[in-house]
Amino acid sequence: MTVEDALIAADSGMDGIVVSNHGGRALDTPVGTMDVLASITATLDQAGAGIEVYVDGGFRHGGEVLVALAQGARAVLIGRPALWALAVEGAPAVASLITLMGSELKSTMARVGSIAIADIDASRISGSVC
């Protein structure tokens, strides 16, 4: 959740990190992962760290995934929604969730003019597109 920790991971030879506030359980008003993601990825890029950055923290819509990718995340982890889907209707619901979020991501990509995931960068977002 901090630039300093990300740099320590990079200096230690890590291949990747997960930007995570572990569900925000530490404080009543936790910092969200999207509040720190851009500064972490920018600093790692500037340092030439070459490590992949993954992010979690309450992603519920494909548009939110696009914003995280635009801010430098390599991938977005969606554990809690997948667990909810699994608990309610099993594996088919997890597959439906992934399909739905993929469709939402594609729709949001079209709205911001991205044809491919590789086209997504910070120039594609301003404010919230979710």
Side-chain angles (χ1 to χ4, degrees):
M1 288 294 292
T2 68
V3 168
E4 294 79 14
D5 283 346
L7 289 171
I8 290 169
D11 290 342
S12 298
M14 297 294 111
D15 294 324
I17 62 169
V18 178
V19 176
S20 176
N21 67 4
H22 306 287
R25 291 184 211 100
L27 301 170
D28 289 337
T29 56
V31 174
T33 55
M34 291 303 291
D35 295 327
V36 298
L37 179 62
S39 62
I40 289 172
T41 58
T43 300
L44 289 172
D45 286 348
Q46 227 173 14
I51 67 173
E52 293 187 351
V53 177
Y54 303 88
V55 65
D56 72 6
F59 292 88
R60 305 291 185 263
H61 186 277
E64 296 167 338
V65 172
L66 181 131
V67 174
L69 296 174
Q71 291 185 348
R74 171 84 166 125
V76 173
L77 310 176
I78 55 166
R80 193 169 298 151
L83 288 175
W84 290 338
L86 183 63
V88 173
E89 293 188 28
V94 176
S96 293
L97 168 73
I98 293 168
T99 298
L100 174 62
M101 288 188 78
S103 295
E104 292 167 346
L105 175 58
K106 287 177 187 174
S107 174
T108 307
M109 287 172 60
R111 289 195 312 265
V112 300
S114 291
I115 295 171
I117 297 288
D119 295 337
I120 300 171
D121 62 24
S123 71
R124 302 289 178 174
I125 60 170
S126 64
S128 176
V129 295
C130 304

